[in-house]
Amino acid sequence: MNLDLLPDDCFAHILSLTSPIDACRISLVSSSIRISANSDNVWEKFLPPDYQQILTRLRHPLIFSSKKHLFFRLCNPHLIDGGLKTFSLEKTTGKKQYMLSARELNIAWADNPLFWSWKPFPTSRFVEAVELRTIWWLEIQGKINSGMLSPKTTYECYVIVKFVDRAYGLDFLPSKVTVEIGNVKSEGNVYLRQYESKKQCLETLWYSNRMELVLRSMAFRGIMEERVACKREDGWIEIELGSFYNNGGDNVEVKMSLKEVTGTHLKGGLVVEGIELRPKQQTTANHM
């Protein structure tokens, strides 16, 4: 079938039922198809239904020449809600992504300068992050309404941190990480230590999973999934808190946390930037 023979509005409607990556690929077929594939009618369908309301929450207004231009501008993180969050779109699917700044989190005793220090960090997306000076009760909690997220989507949650040179006491005991939505809860353990590469991170995860099988075979009980801290391309470190499926039917609260409150030893040197929520990556790699 010659796609050039299809009426423009018909072809644009068909494209709007696909995905951003499909529209980009098919626009390479011919110049006439490119016109339809780049039309506002197509790319408005790839934007979130509430994108106009989201634009009003941006700290800095966006200038764009078309809906496609707007889509790709939103694929980069933008500060919203007075700079307390960032918002972006996952470019292959158009799914929503958020990051909650440290100021949006509930961190135990974070307002006490004896325990925590608020300061700017050059590589942070936010005006400030918070550095742990010394404490024995480490507890970080975040929450977001599921209605802000894309429906029918599995999300992964990560706390974004750094370790300063003087960090101490963070990996004596594992920290407990949880994600809870409704009556569904995922739990895991993580040792707060830095790995130099993704390969080392994955090797450690593989080893810890093997050890978990050994422990289970020895009749140990209450073993939770082991998580690891992995270095990102931006220099920060991400720790997976867990994942959840957002059905999108109801507006319910998603609760996320990291805590280590069983040990009475002091710990310090952890920098918290925030908590990031992003759609779970598909197994097939896509390029745009």
Side-chain angles (χ1 to χ4, degrees), residues 138 163 167-175 190-195 260 265-268:
L138 176 62
F163 300 107
Y168 61 91
L170 295 169
D171 61 351
F172 287 177
L173 293 172
S175 296
V190 63
Y191 283 91
L192 297 180
R193 58 173 70 108
Q194 180 172 334
Y195 296 95
E260 198 291 281
H265 63 282
L266 292 176
K267 47 189 82 76

Side-chain angles (χ1 to χ4, degrees), residues 207-255:
Y207 176 77
S208 64
N209 288 338
R210 294 282 294 180
M211 286 300 298
E212 182 176 336
L213 292 175
V214 173
L215 291 172
R216 288 180 185 274
S217 68
M218 295 172 64
F220 278 75
R221 295 294 182 264
I223 304 297
M224 290 184 289
E225 181 183 348
E226 192 77 19
R227 312 276 168 78
V228 292
C230 296
K231 195 169 184 179
R232 294 154 51 110
E233 292 182 359
D234 61 7
W236 289 83
I237 294 164
E238 63 181 28
I239 300 167
E240 185 182 353
L241 302 176
S243 61
F244 66 95
Y245 180 73
N246 182 37
N247 186 53
D250 300 310
N251 289 336
V252 296
E253 194 171 67
V254 182
K255 302 176 183 178

Side-chain angles (χ1 to χ4, degrees), residues 39-134:
S39 69
D40 283 352
N41 289 337
V42 171
W43 285 90
E44 184 159 18
K45 295 293 185 179
F46 298 147
L47 292 166
D50 59 345
Y51 79 90
Q52 291 182 337
Q53 189 269 338
I54 291 171
L55 291 178
T56 66
R57 296 163 59 192
L58 294 177
R59 188 169 189 177
H60 304 290
L62 282 184
I63 298 175
F64 53 92
S65 57
S66 66
K67 295 298 169 56
K68 181 180 179 180
H69 186 201
L70 173 61
F71 178 91
F72 281 105
R73 292 214 63 184
L74 289 176
C75 288
N76 296 314
H78 294 274
L79 291 171
I80 63 170
D81 298 345
L84 295 177
K85 303 183 188 78
T86 66
F87 171 84
S88 62
L89 298 177
E90 201 286 312
K91 67 178 181 179
T92 63
T93 62
K95 303 283 189 181
K96 296 177 180 178
Q97 304 179 129
Y98 286 93
M99 184 168 176
L100 313 180
S101 70
R103 282 291 186 189
E104 277 283 273
L105 307 180
N106 182 12
I107 302 175
W109 293 295
D111 292 330
N112 190 324
L114 293 176
F115 303 127
W116 293 86
S117 175
W118 291 92
K119 60 179 71 174
F121 282 82
T123 58
S124 176
R125 309 179 210 185
F126 302 103
V127 173
E128 59 183 354
V130 65
E131 180 180 334
L132 175 61
R133 288 184 165 180
T134 187

Side-chain angles (χ1 to χ4, degrees), residues 25-43:
R25 284 170 173 167
I26 203 167
S27 67
L28 302 176
V29 173
S30 71
S31 58
S32 60
I33 287 178
R34 186 178 303 114
I35 293 173
S36 295
N38 291 340
S39 69
D40 283 352
N41 289 337
V42 171
W43 285 90

